Amino acid sequence: MSKNRTIIDIATALGISPSTVSRALNDHPRISNETKEKVKKLVFELDFTLNPMASSLRSNKTQTIGMIVPGISYYFHATVLTVVQNLLWKEGYQVIICQSNDSPEVEKELVNTLYASRVVGVIAATTLRTTDFSHYDILTRNQIPLVFYDRVPVNYYPAQIVKGDDYKGGFEATEHLIQLGCKSIAHISGPLTCNLYKDRYAGYIDALKKYKIPYRQDIVFFHELSMDNAVESIKKIFKMETKPDGIFTANDTSAIGALMVARELGIEVPKEFKIVGYSNDPRSSIISPGITTIDQHPDLIGQQLAITILDLIRGAETNLITEPIITPITLTIRESSKA
Amino acid sequence: MSKNRTIIDIATALGISPSTVSRALNDHPRISNETKEKVKKLVFELDFTLNPMASSLRSNKTQTIGMIVPGISYYFHATVLTVVQNLLWKEGYQVIICQSNDSPEVEKELVNTLYASRVVGVIAATTLRTTDFSHYDILTRNQIPLVFYDRVPVNYYPAQIVKGDDYKGGFEATEHLIQLGCKSIAHISGPLTCNLYKDRYAGYIDALKKYKIPYRQDIVFFHELSMDNAVESIKKIFKMETKPDGIFTANDTSAIGALMVARELGIEVPKEFKIVGYSNDPRSSIISPGITTIDQHPDLIGQQLAITILDLIRGAETNLITEPIITPITLTIRESSKA
DNA sequence: ATGAAAGCGCTAACAG
DNA sequence: CTGTTAGCGCTTTCAT
């Protein structure tokens, strides 16, 4: 194991002091350009890098940003992660990705570990069932910038929020079905404790109101958005006397479930029954008929997250938390909702 | 910002020395159980955690493992990452995930940065075009455990390898088509510089040989496995005088492409043309007809990776590199290859 | 614009 | 089994 070089090696080689080398490397203003260049040249030649542990220990600051997601492999989060990680890496930050596996207990532990690791910022999508956010207090209390995205606190919490326009998504999905002539539109929603479903549901309701379509409680479902649950609900729908002629589901898995049940029962989509999902999961474009869905543009959300956390970290003195940042959505029309 | 507690606070509160606290916390063998418990109790009560920077600086060891992947959002890698990250986290390691975006230059930079970060181990899937692996030397030269998976060095390189059984996958896919009665089987492969495609291709060849099916150069394609490339190749196939009656593609995207072209041209799958893909991408089960494919069990690969890197890290003194570890694959039969 | 000196919080010899 | 003493490599006063 070749012993690592230190700042002292650079200093002695150049006949200057370690502090000067340190300052040169950190672009300290009161160091002559001449010295800076001299130092940087040698550092480059020797392929020297500062020991990040030593820097962090001394300055009590890391270059690490924590990111908490329910799971890496969900399409939406994977895409957000990809963008965030790439952008922050370019800015010299390590991103440490943590998975809550949708467990509030694990989430709590993750926050503590991230805090103990002295991260300089945290980006988090909470679990579906997190209603108490006090385990994040340790961050806010210590002025560690915190940005929530996607699944965010429903009530006030002193952290920045970045999220897709779920209300608009719900509204446009429903309006689209109405404009296609649907008279009775079912809805599969997740639990209303989660902002995502609350907002999409609100959009659904308001679209119905706008077009004076009566709300039918018997065709609106609230449950975890798994395939099994979806299939069960859809089957109920198709057994009703007055069947709905369309459905808006709060995720694409449920929409796929709806399509499968319809196929099984010989109900023609979109002719007899129209479907709109949510998220633009890759599967929704592959299945036939393709499923109309709301694209949340996870890449845009990722970009916004990177920008936001960097702003907060760099301007940490001033309190920069603003109103929630809402990113746009796009209704993506496919065969499942053609006229 | 509440000042963080140190080991000294614990020591003075308990009337012992900081080194004893340190040793107790690190489960040093020559510390009395009594003292250990006393220390751990207080540490628990105060919610104290060691400053990882200080520990790392002093011991010149981190608790960080680097992982290099082409991209987080590829289904296969996302699944592997999920498992690896969860398992290593449980063992007290941070995983720092890096994306090469399939660029050898970026990959090189990542290795250097990980080395500079004093990671204690690296897990890597190289880019499709990495043929020179010398940028990994900095790790092996400094005895930092290195495990390649999926895309691995084709020639000898002194690092552990974990990979799916690509040869067998290629063989079984092809044999399956033959047993279904196919007389002429096309193949879409990636570049043979990459072990994945080399091995799958070798399996294809050997299955043909075993069943005495002549190799037709005009129906075997080597190119990047994108949808566009696949569509182009398949169109060529269907224009031929003697059309093949089946195809084995080295990934699922190409298989989906094949299915789409067939659908467009009114060629019935599986009746006239049978398709087998590779990877068991979620899309392959959703599309209709469902696509027969080779499941690589990314979760098993992830488990094996976690076990392997931990072994290497913990037994770093002895050189533990073994022959490549080959994980099993499973032929997953769907409608695209029914008799 | 630069240097000298102190010390971040911890672990590891070296004692005993 | 435990305490004492040195640093790990860097940044940051405080000097000049």
Side-chain angles (χ1 to χ4, degrees):
Chain A
M1 177 98 127
S2 55
K3 201 167 162 341
N4 282 308
R5 263 183 249 278
T6 78
I7 215 178
I8 301 181
D9 300 329
I10 308 287
T12 49
L14 255 32
I16 56 179
S17 83
S19 6
T20 306
V21 175
S22 170
R23 283 189 273 242
L25 256 20
N26 289 297
D27 274 323
H28 186 108
R30 285 191 309 223
I31 291 288
S32 72
N33 280 326
E34 197 192 354
T35 318
K36 274 185 192 170
E37 277 166 30
K38 205 168 62 178
V39 171
K40 288 183 179 173
K41 185 163 165 286
L42 183 61
V43 160
F44 178 78
E45 282 170 13
L46 297 180
D47 216 13
F48 167 83
T49 42
L50 286 173
N51 181 324
M53 266 72 79
S55 304
S56 296
L57 175 58
R58 182 58 237 248
S59 61
N60 201 23
K61 265 196 182 343
T62 61
Q63 287 285 95
T64 308
I65 292 172
M67 187 144 175
I68 298 176
V69 297
I72 294 176
S73 56
Y74 299 120
Y75 160 71
F76 173 77
H77 293 287
T79 311
V80 173
L81 275 172
T82 301
V83 175
V84 170
Q85 203 274 345
N86 270 330
L87 291 176
L88 292 183
W89 182 272
K90 254 181 230 150
E91 296 293 320
Y93 289 93
Q94 318 240 47
V95 179
I96 157 135
I97 298 170
C98 308
Q99 309 182 81
S100 68
N101 299 319
D102 249 322
S103 149
E105 292 74 39
V106 174
E107 179 184 27
K108 182 172 180 173
E109 201 197 313
L110 293 178
V111 173
N112 288 328
T113 314
L114 286 179
Y115 174 69
S117 303
R118 272 70 174 176
V119 294
V120 291
V122 171
I123 298 173
T126 72
T127 81
L128 283 176
R129 294 175 297 114
T130 306
T131 46
D132 173 16
F133 288 81
S134 59
H135 48 287
Y136 283 100
D137 291 355
I138 191 172
L139 300 176
T140 52
R141 212 188 310 129
N142 290 288
Q143 350 270 28
I144 297 175
L146 171 60
V147 181
F148 287 110
Y149 79 100
D150 195 48
R151 302 146 169 211
V152 305
V154 175
N155 300 315
Y156 175 77
Y157 190 88
Q160 181 66 56
I161 285 175
V162 172
K163 60 192 281 294
D165 199 340
D166 292 296
Y167 173 81
K168 200 172 170 206
F171 189 90
E172 289 194 5
T174 313
E175 185 175 49
H176 170 66
L177 287 168
I178 295 172
Q179 287 172 344
L180 250 27
C182 290
K183 301 293 178 211
S184 175
I185 299 167
H187 179 46
I188 291 188
S189 169
L192 293 187
T193 46
C194 177
N195 65 291
L196 300 174
Y197 310 125
K198 191 163 148 269
D199 293 350
R200 291 172 197 175
Y201 175 65
Y204 164 78
I205 295 286
D206 283 4
L208 291 185
K209 272 193 195 140
K210 177 172 171 192
Y211 292 92
K212 306 216 173 13
I213 300 206
Y215 178 84
R216 277 179 61 185
Q217 198 169 340
D218 60 329
I219 56 173
V220 177
F221 301 85
F222 301 95
H223 50 60
E224 232 182 81
L225 295 175
S226 67
M227 178 63 81
D228 287 352
N229 287 343
V231 166
E232 198 182 320
S233 296
I234 310 283
K235 284 190 172 160
K236 276 188 202 149
I237 285 179
F238 285 141
K239 278 191 196 124
M240 292 178 178
E241 302 223 343
T242 47
K243 292 181 188 56
D245 47 11
I247 190 168
F248 162 49
T249 62
N251 77 350
D252 280 338
T253 299
S254 304
I256 291 170
L259 188 55
M260 287 174 153
V261 174
R263 198 186 280 164
E264 198 182 308
L265 299 179
I267 293 170
E268 269 187 76
V269 175
K271 207 177 157 200
E272 299 171 62
F273 189 71
K274 303 190 203 315
I275 302 174
V276 178
Y278 211 106
S279 290
N280 202 12
D281 185 299
R283 293 173 301 164
S284 61
S285 67
I286 282 294
I287 204 165
S288 52
I291 293 178
T292 296
T293 187
I294 302 291
D295 191 334
Q296 306 190 79
H297 303 297
D299 50 336
L300 283 186
I301 296 182
Q303 275 175 41
Q304 186 58 252
L305 283 172
I307 292 169
T308 306
I309 195 80
L310 286 174
D311 277 358
L312 288 173
I313 290 171
R314 289 172 179 165
E317 313 303 319
T318 55
N319 200 326
L320 288 165
I321 296 177
T322 66
E323 285 294 296
I325 297 172
I326 311 287
T327 59
I329 50 85
T330 309
L331 175 68
T332 305
I333 301 175
R334 301 206 177 89
E335 297 77 41
S336 75
S337 72
K338 288 278 159 69
Chain B
M1 176 99 126
S2 56
K3 202 167 162 342
N4 282 309
R5 263 183 249 277
T6 79
I7 216 178
I8 301 180
D9 300 330
I10 308 286
T12 48
L14 254 32
I16 57 178
S17 83
S19 11
T20 306
V21 176
S22 170
R23 284 189 272 242
L25 256 20
N26 289 296
D27 273 323
H28 186 109
R30 287 192 306 226
I31 292 287
S32 72
N33 280 327
E34 197 192 354
T35 317
K36 275 186 192 169
E37 275 167 29
K38 204 169 63 176
V39 171
K40 287 183 178 173
K41 185 162 167 287
L42 183 60
V43 160
F44 178 79
E45 283 170 14
L46 297 180
D47 214 14
F48 168 82
T49 42
L50 286 173
N51 181 323
M53 265 73 79
S55 304
S56 297
L57 175 58
R58 182 58 236 248
S59 62
N60 202 24
K61 264 195 185 340
T62 61
Q63 286 286 95
T64 309
I65 292 172
M67 187 145 176
I68 298 177
V69 296
I72 295 175
S73 55
Y74 298 120
Y75 160 71
F76 173 77
H77 293 286
T79 311
V80 173
L81 275 172
T82 301
V83 176
V84 170
Q85 203 273 344
N86 271 330
L87 291 177
L88 293 182
W89 182 272
K90 254 181 230 150
E91 296 294 320
Y93 290 93
Q94 316 240 48
V95 179
I96 157 134
I97 298 169
C98 308
Q99 309 182 82
S100 67
N101 299 318
D102 249 322
S103 149
E105 293 74 39
V106 174
E107 181 185 26
K108 182 172 179 173
E109 200 198 314
L110 294 178
V111 174
N112 288 327
T113 314
L114 285 178
Y115 175 69
S117 303
R118 272 72 172 174
V119 293
V120 290
V122 171
I123 297 172
T126 71
T127 80
L128 283 176
R129 294 176 295 114
T130 306
T131 47
D132 174 16
F133 288 81
S134 60
H135 48 288
Y136 283 98
D137 292 354
I138 191 169
L139 300 176
T140 52
R141 213 187 310 129
N142 291 287
Q143 348 273 27
I144 297 175
L146 171 60
V147 181
F148 287 109
Y149 80 100
D150 194 50
R151 303 147 168 207
V152 306
V154 175
N155 300 315
Y156 174 76
Y157 190 87
Q160 181 67 55
I161 285 175
V162 171
K163 59 193 282 296
D165 199 339
D166 292 297
Y167 172 81
K168 199 170 169 209
F171 188 91
E172 288 195 5
T174 312
E175 186 175 48
H176 171 66
L177 287 168
I178 295 170
Q179 287 171 342
L180 250 26
C182 289
K183 301 293 178 211
S184 175
I185 299 168
H187 179 44
I188 291 187
S189 168
L192 292 187
T193 46
C194 178
N195 66 291
L196 299 174
Y197 308 125
K198 190 163 148 270
D199 293 351
R200 291 172 197 175
Y201 175 64
Y204 164 77
I205 296 285
D206 283 2
L208 292 185
K209 272 191 195 140
K210 176 172 172 191
Y211 293 93
K212 307 218 173 13
I213 299 204
Y215 178 84
R216 277 179 60 185
Q217 196 168 345
D218 61 329
I219 56 174
V220 177
F221 300 85
F222 302 96
H223 50 59
E224 230 181 83
L225 295 175
S226 66
M227 180 62 82
D228 288 351
N229 286 342
V231 167
E232 199 181 320
S233 297
I234 310 283
K235 284 192 172 159
K236 276 187 202 149
I237 285 178
F238 286 140
K239 280 194 194 120
M240 292 178 179
E241 302 222 346
T242 46
K243 292 181 188 56
D245 48 10
I247 189 168
F248 162 48
T249 61
N251 78 349
D252 280 338
T253 300
S254 303
I256 292 169
L259 188 55
M260 286 176 154
V261 173
R263 194 186 283 163
E264 199 181 308
L265 300 179
I267 294 169
E268 271 187 76
V269 175
K271 206 178 156 197
E272 299 173 61
F273 190 71
K274 304 193 199 315
I275 301 174
V276 178
Y278 212 106
S279 290
N280 202 11
D281 184 300
R283 293 172 301 164
S284 62
S285 67
I286 281 296
I287 204 165
S288 51
I291 293 178
T292 296
T293 187
I294 302 291
D295 192 334
Q296 306 190 77
H297 303 297
D299 49 337
L300 284 187
I301 296 182
Q303 276 174 41
Q304 186 58 252
L305 284 172
I307 292 170
T308 307
I309 196 80
L310 286 174
D311 278 357
L312 254 28
I313 289 170
R314 288 171 179 166
E317 314 304 319
T318 56
N319 200 326
L320 289 166
I321 296 177
T322 66
E323 285 294 294
I325 298 172
I326 311 288
T327 59
I329 50 86
T330 309
L331 175 66
T332 305
I333 300 175
R334 300 207 177 88
E335 297 78 42
S336 74
S337 72
K338 289 276 159 73

